[in-house]
Short mmCIF file of all heavy atoms in Angstrom, two decimals:
data_model
loop_
_atom_site.label_atom_id
_atom_site.label_comp_id
_atom_site.label_asym_id
_atom_site.label_seq_id
_atom_site.Cartn_x
_atom_site.Cartn_y
_atom_site.Cartn_z
N GLU E 1 -8.62 1.35 -3.61
CA GLU E 1 -7.71 2.38 -3.09
C GLU E 1 -7.79 2.51 -1.56
O GLU E 1 -6.77 2.75 -0.91
CB GLU E 1 -7.98 3.71 -3.77
CG GLU E 1 -7.65 3.69 -5.26
CD GLU E 1 -7.70 5.05 -5.89
OE1 GLU E 1 -7.79 6.06 -5.16
OE2 GLU E 1 -7.63 5.13 -7.14
N LYS E 2 -8.99 2.38 -1.00
CA LYS E 2 -9.11 2.47 0.46
C LYS E 2 -8.40 1.31 1.14
O LYS E 2 -7.70 1.49 2.14
CB LYS E 2 -10.60 2.50 0.86
CG LYS E 2 -11.32 3.79 0.48
CD LYS E 2 -12.75 3.78 0.98
CE LYS E 2 -13.46 5.07 0.62
NZ LYS E 2 -14.89 5.07 1.09
N GLN E 3 -8.57 0.11 0.58
CA GLN E 3 -7.91 -1.05 1.14
C GLN E 3 -6.40 -0.93 0.99
O GLN E 3 -5.64 -1.26 1.91
CB GLN E 3 -8.40 -2.31 0.42
CG GLN E 3 -8.07 -3.61 1.12
CD GLN E 3 -8.94 -3.83 2.35
OE1 GLN E 3 -9.99 -3.21 2.51
NE2 GLN E 3 -8.48 -4.68 3.23
N ALA E 4 -5.95 -0.46 -0.15
CA ALA E 4 -4.52 -0.29 -0.38
C ALA E 4 -3.91 0.71 0.60
O ALA E 4 -2.81 0.50 1.11
CB ALA E 4 -4.27 0.17 -1.82
N GLU E 5 -4.64 1.79 0.87
CA GLU E 5 -4.14 2.79 1.81
C GLU E 5 -4.07 2.22 3.22
O GLU E 5 -3.12 2.51 3.98
CB GLU E 5 -5.03 4.03 1.77
CG GLU E 5 -4.64 5.13 2.76
CD GLU E 5 -3.26 5.71 2.53
OE1 GLU E 5 -2.66 5.45 1.46
OE2 GLU E 5 -2.76 6.42 3.42
N LEU E 6 -5.04 1.42 3.60
CA LEU E 6 -5.02 0.78 4.92
C LEU E 6 -3.79 -0.12 5.06
O LEU E 6 -3.11 -0.10 6.08
CB LEU E 6 -6.31 -0.02 5.12
CG LEU E 6 -6.49 -0.70 6.47
CD1 LEU E 6 -6.51 0.32 7.60
CD2 LEU E 6 -7.78 -1.52 6.48
N ILE E 7 -3.52 -0.90 4.02
CA ILE E 7 -2.35 -1.79 4.05
C ILE E 7 -1.07 -0.95 4.10
O ILE E 7 -0.13 -1.27 4.85
CB ILE E 7 -2.34 -2.71 2.82
CG1 ILE E 7 -3.57 -3.63 2.84
CG2 ILE E 7 -1.07 -3.56 2.80
CD1 ILE E 7 -3.75 -4.43 1.55
N ARG E 8 -1.03 0.11 3.30
CA ARG E 8 0.16 0.97 3.28
C ARG E 8 0.46 1.53 4.66
O ARG E 8 1.61 1.50 5.13
CB ARG E 8 -0.03 2.11 2.27
CG ARG E 8 1.23 2.93 2.02
CD ARG E 8 0.94 4.15 1.15
NE ARG E 8 0.19 5.16 1.90
CZ ARG E 8 0.76 6.06 2.70
NH1 ARG E 8 2.08 6.09 2.84
NH2 ARG E 8 0.03 6.95 3.34
N ARG E 9 -0.56 2.04 5.33
CA ARG E 9 -0.35 2.61 6.67
C ARG E 9 0.09 1.54 7.67
O ARG E 9 0.94 1.81 8.53
CB ARG E 9 -1.64 3.28 7.15
CG ARG E 9 -2.00 4.54 6.37
CD ARG E 9 -3.25 5.18 6.92
NE ARG E 9 -3.63 6.36 6.18
CZ ARG E 9 -4.69 7.11 6.45
NH1 ARG E 9 -5.49 6.78 7.47
NH2 ARG E 9 -4.96 8.18 5.73
N SER E 10 -0.49 0.36 7.56
CA SER E 10 -0.10 -0.72 8.46
C SER E 10 1.36 -1.11 8.25
O SER E 10 2.10 -1.35 9.21
CB SER E 10 -1.00 -1.94 8.25
OG SER E 10 -2.35 -1.64 8.55
N LEU E 11 1.79 -1.16 6.99
CA LEU E 11 3.18 -1.49 6.69
C LEU E 11 4.13 -0.41 7.19
O LEU E 11 5.20 -0.70 7.73
CB LEU E 11 3.36 -1.70 5.19
CG LEU E 11 2.76 -2.98 4.62
CD1 LEU E 11 2.77 -2.95 3.09
CD2 LEU E 11 3.51 -4.21 5.12
N LEU E 12 3.73 0.84 7.04
CA LEU E 12 4.56 1.94 7.55
C LEU E 12 4.73 1.82 9.06
O LEU E 12 5.83 2.05 9.59
CB LEU E 12 3.92 3.29 7.20
CG LEU E 12 4.07 3.76 5.75
CD1 LEU E 12 3.22 5.01 5.52
CD2 LEU E 12 5.53 4.04 5.42
N SER E 13 3.65 1.46 9.75
CA SER E 13 3.73 1.33 11.22
C SER E 13 4.64 0.19 11.65
O SER E 13 5.14 0.16 12.76
CB SER E 13 2.33 1.13 11.81
OG SER E 13 1.82 -0.16 11.49
N GLU E 14 4.87 -0.77 10.72
CA GLU E 14 5.75 -1.91 11.01
C GLU E 14 7.20 -1.62 10.59
O GLU E 14 8.07 -2.48 10.70
CB GLU E 14 5.26 -3.16 10.27
CG GLU E 14 3.92 -3.66 10.74
CD GLU E 14 4.04 -4.71 11.84
OE1 GLU E 14 5.00 -5.50 11.80
OE2 GLU E 14 3.17 -4.73 12.72
N GLY E 15 7.44 -0.43 10.05
CA GLY E 15 8.79 -0.05 9.67
C GLY E 15 9.16 -0.37 8.23
O GLY E 15 10.32 -0.23 7.84
N HIS E 16 8.17 -0.76 7.41
CA HIS E 16 8.43 -1.05 6.00
C HIS E 16 8.27 0.22 5.16
O HIS E 16 7.68 1.21 5.60
CB HIS E 16 7.47 -2.13 5.50
CG HIS E 16 7.58 -3.43 6.23
ND1 HIS E 16 8.68 -4.24 6.14
CD2 HIS E 16 6.71 -4.05 7.08
CE1 HIS E 16 8.50 -5.31 6.89
NE2 HIS E 16 7.33 -5.22 7.47
N THR E 17 8.79 0.16 3.94
CA THR E 17 8.62 1.25 2.99
C THR E 17 7.80 0.72 1.82
O THR E 17 8.36 0.17 0.85
CB THR E 17 9.98 1.77 2.50
OG1 THR E 17 10.78 2.14 3.62
CG2 THR E 17 9.81 2.98 1.59
N PRO E 18 6.48 0.85 1.86
CA PRO E 18 5.64 0.24 0.83
C PRO E 18 5.50 1.10 -0.42
O PRO E 18 5.50 2.33 -0.37
CB PRO E 18 4.29 0.09 1.53
CG PRO E 18 4.27 1.21 2.53
CD PRO E 18 5.69 1.41 2.97
N THR E 19 5.38 0.41 -1.54
CA THR E 19 4.98 1.01 -2.80
C THR E 19 3.61 0.44 -3.16
O THR E 19 3.41 -0.78 -3.02
CB THR E 19 5.97 0.69 -3.92
OG1 THR E 19 7.24 1.25 -3.60
CG2 THR E 19 5.49 1.22 -5.26
N VAL E 20 2.68 1.27 -3.59
CA VAL E 20 1.32 0.83 -3.89
C VAL E 20 1.05 1.00 -5.39
O VAL E 20 1.33 2.06 -5.97
CB VAL E 20 0.28 1.61 -3.08
CG1 VAL E 20 -1.14 1.21 -3.47
CG2 VAL E 20 0.50 1.40 -1.58
N VAL E 21 0.52 -0.05 -6.01
CA VAL E 21 0.06 0.02 -7.40
C VAL E 21 -1.35 -0.55 -7.46
O VAL E 21 -1.78 -1.26 -6.55
CB VAL E 21 1.00 -0.75 -8.35
CG1 VAL E 21 2.39 -0.13 -8.36
CG2 VAL E 21 1.08 -2.22 -7.97
N HIS E 22 -2.06 -0.25 -8.56
CA HIS E 22 -3.47 -0.60 -8.61
C HIS E 22 -3.85 -1.50 -9.79
O HIS E 22 -5.03 -1.74 -10.02
CB HIS E 22 -4.32 0.67 -8.64
CG HIS E 22 -4.10 1.56 -7.45
ND1 HIS E 22 -4.42 1.17 -6.17
CD2 HIS E 22 -3.57 2.81 -7.35
CE1 HIS E 22 -4.11 2.15 -5.33
NE2 HIS E 22 -3.60 3.15 -6.02
N ASP E 23 -2.87 -2.00 -10.55
CA ASP E 23 -3.18 -2.95 -11.60
C ASP E 23 -2.01 -3.91 -11.79
O ASP E 23 -0.89 -3.65 -11.31
CB ASP E 23 -3.56 -2.26 -12.91
CG ASP E 23 -2.40 -1.52 -13.56
OD1 ASP E 23 -1.48 -2.18 -14.07
OD2 ASP E 23 -2.41 -0.27 -13.55
N GLY E 24 -2.27 -5.01 -12.49
CA GLY E 24 -1.27 -6.06 -12.61
C GLY E 24 -0.06 -5.65 -13.42
O GLY E 24 1.07 -6.04 -13.10
N ARG E 25 -0.25 -4.86 -14.48
CA ARG E 25 0.89 -4.41 -15.28
C ARG E 25 1.84 -3.57 -14.44
O ARG E 25 3.06 -3.72 -14.49
CB ARG E 25 0.40 -3.62 -16.49
CG ARG E 25 1.50 -3.00 -17.34
CD ARG E 25 2.40 -4.07 -17.97
NE ARG E 25 1.64 -4.87 -18.93
CZ ARG E 25 2.09 -5.96 -19.49
NH1 ARG E 25 3.29 -6.43 -19.16
NH2 ARG E 25 1.35 -6.63 -20.36
N ALA E 26 1.27 -2.65 -13.66
CA ALA E 26 2.09 -1.80 -12.80
C ALA E 26 2.81 -2.64 -11.75
O ALA E 26 3.94 -2.33 -11.37
CB ALA E 26 1.22 -0.74 -12.13
N ALA E 27 2.16 -3.71 -11.27
CA ALA E 27 2.80 -4.58 -10.28
C ALA E 27 4.04 -5.25 -10.87
O ALA E 27 5.10 -5.28 -10.24
CB ALA E 27 1.81 -5.64 -9.81
#
């Protein structure tokens, strides 16, 4: 979750709209 949040914030700063999931089925 910490890594996912770091990626999410980085993507937001690049102008993307990220969706985060934590398992393969949800992906």
Side-chain angles (χ1 to χ4, degrees):
E1 294 190 10
K2 290 184 179 179
Q3 195 74 18
E5 178 62 13
L6 183 61
I7 297 171
R8 189 187 72 84
R9 291 182 181 180
S10 297
L11 288 169
L12 284 172
S13 71
E14 295 268 325
H16 299 292
T17 305
T19 297
V20 176
V21 297
H22 301 296
D23 67 71
R25 175 64 65 190

